[in-house]
C-alpha cells in the first residue's frame, strides 16, 4: 500500500500473473484527484498499468511519481473546454468560487467526446470513474469495457443520498435545505447522521449544467459493474449493508488508502515547517486546516482566530485565500488586528499550501481542527491524531456526525441555522480535545482508530480483495 516504504512494483501472482490496464477518470477537485492517484499508486505497486486522465493544470498539481512507479502510471492531459462564465485557467474546484461549480461541471461534460476517442484507442481492461462523469458508463458499454464507480465518500454518505428510486427520480426529493436535516425514510435504523441547516442552505444551486449532482450520482451508481468505497466494512458495517441492498451489485471496500508521510512535500517548504514544529513538545500543537475549498465568513475567521488565542495552546494554522474572496469582509485571509503578533511565540499562520501529511506525522502534533473532508480525516486518524470538527460544505457535515457517533471527534458547537460560533466555543472544544481530562476518551479513540485506518496489513488485505475481483472478472471475460 502507499503508506509503506515503496518497494519495486511487481506483477500480481494471482490469476496467472494477469496484468491489468486500468484507466482512471477523477472529478476536477484536488480532494478527488489525490485519492484517485493514491489508488493508482497502490495498483501500480501490484504491477498493473494505470492511465489517469485530467486537465493540464491538474496533472501538474499532482505529486511527482517515484522512479519505480512512473513506468506504470501514465498521466494524460486533455484540455478543458471553455465555458462562458468560468474564469480563465480554472480547471479545478479550488480555482473557483462555489457558485461557479456548475460551470465547471459543464466544462467537464465537454470532455465526453475526447475521452471517448481516447478510450477507443487505448482499450483498457477496466475504467474507474467519479460521480460527475455520469456519461462514462455509456461509453464503456459501447466499447465492451467494464467500469467501476469509485466513491470518495463514506458508505454512510452514499447511502444517505438515497436508493435508485430517489436519486434517479424526476421529483425534487431534496427540494429544500430542511429536507437534508432529518434522517431519510430509507434509512431503516436509528441515525443521527444528518446535515445541519447551515451546511446545506447554499447547496441547492441553479442547475445550469443540465444535470443535478443527485442525478450524476444516481447514474454513476446505477450503470457501473461495481461500487468502490474508500472505507472498510468494519468501520461502518450497517451503511455498507444498506448500500448493497440499494444497488444490488458488489459494493467493495478498497481500504482507506492512507498516504505516505513522505508524499507530496517540497523539501524547502518542509524544512521551514519542520524547524518550527521541532521547537514544540510532543502532541502539544493543534494543526488547523480547512481544506482547499471551505470558505468561512469574516466573522467566523475572527472567532476562530480569537478562539485559538484564547485556548492558550500552540497552533499551526494553514490559511489559504480562496478564489472569489474579496476585501469587503468576506476574505478568509483577513485576521483580527494584532492576532499574529500576540500569538507569535506559540502560533504560526502559514499562508499558502502546506505539506499536510508530513505535518500530521510530526510528533509535535496532537490534534487537528478540520473541515471534515474525508481525505483529511483519513490522514489524521491514520496517524492517531485527535479530531476537532468544523464542517463547512459538501459531505463534511455527515462525516462529522459519523465521527461523533463513533466518539472519535468532537464538533465545535454552532448555531444550526447560520453556522456561527464563538471564540469561547472554539477555545473550550480545542482545550477539551487536546489537553483536558474529559477529552482523554477522545484521544484514546483516535489512537484506536489508527489501528483500523492506518494498519498497513489490514488495509492491504482489503485492497487485495478488490484487486482479485478485478482480475477474476477479466479472467471470466477472457
Amino acid at each position: 500500500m502507499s503508506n509503506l516504504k515503496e518497494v519495486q512494483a511487481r506483477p500480481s501472482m494471482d490469476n496467472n500473473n494477469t496484468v491489468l490496464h486500468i484507466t482512471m477518470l477523477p472529478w476536477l477537485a484536488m480532494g478527488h484527484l489525490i485519492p484517485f492517484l493514491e489508488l493508482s499508486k497502490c495498483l501500480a505497486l501490484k504491477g498493473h498499468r494505470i492511465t489517469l486522465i485530467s486537465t493540464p493544470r491538474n496533472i501538474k498539481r499532482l505529486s511527482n511519481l517515484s522512479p519505480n512507479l512512473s513506468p506504470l502510471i501514465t498521466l494524460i492531459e486533455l484540455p478543458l473546454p471553455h465555458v462562458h462564465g468560468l474564469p480563465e485557467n480554472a480547471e479545478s474546484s479550488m480555482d473557483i468560487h462555489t457558485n461557479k461549480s456548475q460551470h465547471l461541471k459543464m466544462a467537464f461534460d465537454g470532455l465526453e467526446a475526447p475521452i471517448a476517442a481516447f478510450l477507443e484507442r487505448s482499450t483498457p481492461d477496466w475504467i474507474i470513474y467519479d460521480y460527475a462523469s455520469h456519461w462514462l458508463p455509456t461509453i464503456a458499454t459501447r466499447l465492451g469495457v467494464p467500469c467501476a464507480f469509485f466513491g470518495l465518500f463514506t458508505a454512510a454518505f452514499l447511502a444517505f443520498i438515497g436508493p435508485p428510486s430517489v436519486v434517479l427520480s424526476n421529483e425534487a426529493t431534496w427540494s429544500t435545505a430542511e429536507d437534508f436535516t432529518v434522517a431519510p425514510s430509507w434509512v431503516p435504523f436509528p441515525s443521527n447522521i444528518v446535515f445541519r441547516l447551515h451546511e446545506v442552505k447554499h447547496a441547492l444551486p441553479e442547475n445550469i449544467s443540465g444535470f443535478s449532482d443527485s442525478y450524476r450520482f444516481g447514474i454513476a451508481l446505477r450503470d457501473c459493474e461495481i461500487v468502490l468505497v474508500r472505507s472498510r466494512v468494519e468501520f461502518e458495517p450497517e451503511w455498507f449493508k444498506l448500500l448493497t441492498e440499494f444497488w444490488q451489485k458488489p459494493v467493495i471496500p478498497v481500504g482507506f488508502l492512507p498516504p505516505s508521510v513522505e508524499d507530496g512535500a517540497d523539501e524547502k517548504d518542509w524544512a521551514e515547517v519542520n524547524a518550527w514544529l521541532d521547537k514544540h513538545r510532543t502532541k502539544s500543537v493543534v494543526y488547523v486546516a480547512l481544506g482547499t475549498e471551505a470558505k468561512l465568513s469574516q466573522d467566523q475567521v475572527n472567532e476562530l482566530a480569537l478562539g485559538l488565542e484564547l485556548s492558550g495552546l500552540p497552533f499551526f494554522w494553514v490559511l489559504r485565500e480562496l478564489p472569489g474572496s474579496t476585501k469587503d469582509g468576506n476574505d478568509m485571509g483577513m485576521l483580527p488586528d494584532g492576532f499574529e503578533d500576540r500569538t507569535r511565540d506559540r502560533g504560526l499562520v502559514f499562508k499558502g499550501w502546506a505539506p499536510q501529511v508530513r505535518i500530521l506525522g510530526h510528533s509535535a502534533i496532537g490534534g487537528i481542527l478540520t473541515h471534515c473532508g474525508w481525505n483529511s480525516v483519513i490522514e489524521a486518524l491514520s496517524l492517531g491524531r485527535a479530531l476537532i470538527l468544523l464542517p463547512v460544505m459538501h459531505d463534511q457535515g455527515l462525516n462529522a456526525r459519523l465521527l461523533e457517533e463513533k466518539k472519535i471527534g468532537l464538533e465545535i458547537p454552532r448555531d444550526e441555522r447560520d453556522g456561527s460560533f464563538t471564540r469561547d466555543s472554539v477555545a473550550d472544544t480545542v482545550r477539551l480535545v487536546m489537553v483536558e481530562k474529559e477529552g482523554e476518551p477522545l484521544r484514546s479513540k483516535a489512537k484506536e482508530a489508527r489501528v483500523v485506518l492506518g494498519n498497513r496489513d489490514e488495509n492491504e488485505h482489503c485492497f487485495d480483495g478488490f484487486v482479485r475481483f478485478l482480475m477474476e472478472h477479466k479472467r471470466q471475460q477472457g
Side-chain angles (χ1 to χ4, degrees):
M1 298 295 290
S2 58
N3 61 331
L4 289 175
K5 180 180 179 181
E6 289 188 345
V7 296
Q8 184 63 39
R10 62 195 187 282
S12 173
M13 299 306 293
D14 294 333
N15 291 324
N16 300 318
N17 291 333
T18 298
V19 173
L20 300 173
H21 175 206
I22 301 169
T23 295
M24 303 277 184
L25 182 59
W27 163 237
L28 306 177
M30 292 311 294
H32 292 240
L33 287 154
I34 291 172
F36 263 82
L37 182 61
E38 288 297 324
L39 184 68
S40 300
K41 290 178 181 178
C42 292
L43 286 163
L45 282 170
K46 303 290 184 183
H48 302 293
R49 294 190 301 116
I50 309 299
T51 300
L52 189 150
I53 302 173
S54 193
T55 63
R57 289 191 72 195
N58 286 323
I59 292 296
K60 288 179 175 61
R61 285 168 168 147
L62 296 176
S63 60
N64 293 329
L65 297 170
S66 60
N68 67 316
L69 293 181
S70 55
L72 290 170
I73 300 178
T74 302
L75 304 178
I76 298 294
E77 300 179 4
L78 291 179
L80 188 68
H82 175 73
V83 168
H84 179 72
L86 193 65
E88 187 177 358
N89 296 322
E91 296 183 12
S92 165
S93 57
M94 70 182 293
D95 300 327
I96 59 173
H97 190 279
T98 53
N99 63 13
K100 296 293 183 181
S101 62
Q102 291 292 305
H103 294 80
L104 189 62
K105 288 187 173 74
M106 291 173 64
F108 183 67
D109 289 343
L111 290 174
E112 179 178 358
I115 285 173
F118 176 83
L119 292 172
E120 288 171 1
R121 298 191 302 270
S122 62
T123 60
D125 296 306
W126 277 91
I127 303 170
I128 299 178
Y129 65 103
D130 213 331
Y131 84 97
S133 47
H134 62 288
W135 33 264
L136 193 283
T138 300
I139 299 171
T141 299
R142 187 175 76 244
L143 298 176
V145 179
C147 58
F149 167 67
F150 186 20
L152 304 177
F153 309 89
T154 62
F157 173 81
L158 292 172
F160 181 92
I161 63 176
S165 61
V166 172
V167 293
L168 295 172
S169 173
N170 290 324
E171 298 178 7
T173 303
W174 307 104
S175 58
T176 69
E178 285 79 7
D179 292 336
F180 291 84
T181 64
V182 295
S185 60
W186 50 85
V187 176
F189 44 81
S191 173
N192 293 319
I193 299 178
V194 298
F195 286 105
R196 305 287 187 246
L197 188 61
H198 68 86
E199 294 163 348
V200 295
K201 63 182 180 179
H202 301 302
L204 299 169
E206 182 183 358
N207 188 21
I208 63 171
S209 73
F211 304 99
S212 68
D213 284 353
S214 175
Y215 180 83
R216 290 176 188 271
F217 269 107
I219 297 297
L221 284 159
R222 184 193 69 185
D223 292 349
C224 62
E225 300 265 347
I226 58 175
V227 177
L228 309 178
V229 183
R230 191 188 182 190
S231 184
R232 286 175 52 196
V233 174
E234 298 89 335
F235 189 71
E236 40 181 344
E238 68 277 24
W239 294 102
F240 266 97
K241 181 175 183 291
L242 188 58
L243 195 58
T244 303
E245 291 173 358
F246 284 170
W247 295 100
Q248 295 295 302
K249 63 182 66 179
V251 177
I252 301 175
V254 299
F256 293 101
L257 307 179
S260 167
V261 171
E262 288 76 26
D263 279 354
D266 180 275
E267 289 304 321
K268 181 179 179 182
D269 288 340
W270 173 239
E272 176 186 348
V273 172
N274 190 51
W276 189 88
L277 291 171
D278 279 346
K279 298 175 184 177
H280 294 83
R281 293 181 294 103
T282 299
K283 296 186 178 179
S284 65
V285 177
V286 58
Y287 175 61
V288 183
L290 300 178
T292 57
E293 298 177 41
K295 188 169 196 269
L296 300 183
S297 69
Q298 182 61 59
D299 286 344
Q300 289 172 331
V301 173
N302 285 342
E303 292 302 308
L304 178 55
L306 296 172
L308 291 171
E309 181 178 357
L310 191 60
S311 76
L313 298 178
F315 64 87
F316 186 105
W317 187 358
V318 178
L319 190 61
R320 297 182 65 251
E321 182 176 328
L322 299 177
S325 63
T326 66
K327 299 295 182 182
D328 61 0
N330 208 26
D331 189 326
M332 196 173 174
M334 294 178 66
L335 293 166
D337 289 342
F339 168 74
E340 290 183 84
D341 288 335
R342 295 192 303 271
T343 60
R344 192 174 302 280
D345 291 341
R346 62 177 174 84
L348 176 64
V349 178
F350 193 90
K351 297 174 182 175
W353 182 89
Q356 177 161 296
V357 179
R358 274 192 142 176
I359 294 170
L360 287 168
H362 195 285
S363 61
I365 300 296
I368 176 174
L369 196 160
T370 174
H371 64 308
C372 306
W374 195 228
N375 284 339
S376 292
V377 169
I378 288 172
E379 290 166 359
L381 288 179
S382 66
L383 293 163
R385 304 311 182 207
L387 302 178
I388 303 144
L389 312 174
L390 189 67
V392 181
M393 60 196 300
H394 302 323
D395 60 322
Q396 296 161 14
L398 295 190
N399 294 344
R401 312 294 108 74
L402 179 65
L403 295 165
E404 278 213 317
E405 185 177 271
K406 293 181 176 296
K407 303 186 187 307
I408 51 178
L410 185 64
E411 193 168 348
I412 294 172
R414 305 170 74 170
D415 183 293
E416 293 195 7
R417 297 197 65 83
D418 64 15
S420 62
F421 51 85
T422 68
R423 64 198 71 177
D424 290 325
S425 66
V426 171
D428 291 346
T429 308
V430 167
R431 288 195 58 81
L432 191 151
V433 172
M434 289 288 294
V435 297
E436 292 181 358
K437 184 178 180 180
E438 293 86 345
E440 181 55 37
L442 288 168
R443 297 190 288 273
S444 296
K445 281 283 188 180
K447 293 175 186 176
E448 292 172 11
R450 181 175 187 172
V451 176
V452 178
L453 278 81
N455 184 282
R456 182 191 76 185
D457 293 336
E458 291 185 9
N459 272 293
E460 180 140 6
H461 177 75
C462 184
F463 188 82
D464 284 345
F466 150 63
V467 175
R468 282 194 298 272
F469 184 98
L470 297 185
M471 293 195 297
E472 179 61 21
H473 188 280
K474 177 176 172 59
R475 187 188 67 77
Q476 291 176 356
Q477 299 299 311

